[in-house]
Amino acid sequence: MKKANKAVIEKDALLKQRIRHLCERFPRYGYRRIKVMLRRQYSMQVNHKRVHLPCEKWDCW
């Protein structure tokens, strides 16, 4: 089993923090809209599956 790279872990933590912030700021937005906002506000190209799981966990819809 591969060990997780520290840079990848920090990148995931930053992504989750930004998703959380957007979910709190825009509680009616779903994961698709959050994905678009990540691209617009933070210039982050993210797969929809990486956004869907945290949004589902925090009830972002």
Side-chain angles (χ1 to χ4, degrees):
M1 188 175 234
K2 275 185 161 180
K3 284 188 175 181
N5 189 355
K6 189 174 182 179
V8 172
I9 293 172
E10 290 175 5
K11 188 176 177 182
D12 284 345
L14 180 63
L15 175 65
K16 288 179 182 178
Q17 178 184 10
R18 289 180 174 172
I19 291 172
R20 180 75 170 221
H21 171 67
L22 289 171
C23 285
E24 289 172 355
R25 188 167 171 209
F26 305 105
R28 303 281 299 185
Y29 284 5
Y31 76 94
R32 291 180 178 133
R33 191 74 189 143
I34 295 292
K35 180 182 177 279
V36 171
M37 295 302 289
L38 283 169
R39 188 176 64 234
R40 287 184 182 173
Q41 289 187 0
Y42 301 111
S43 301
M44 295 181 80
Q45 284 289 97
V46 184
N47 189 322
H48 70 94
K49 291 178 267 186
R50 292 187 67 199
V51 177
H52 184 265
L53 289 175
C55 284
E56 186 176 36
K57 180 180 175 185
W58 297 318
D59 294 326
C60 288
W61 31 67

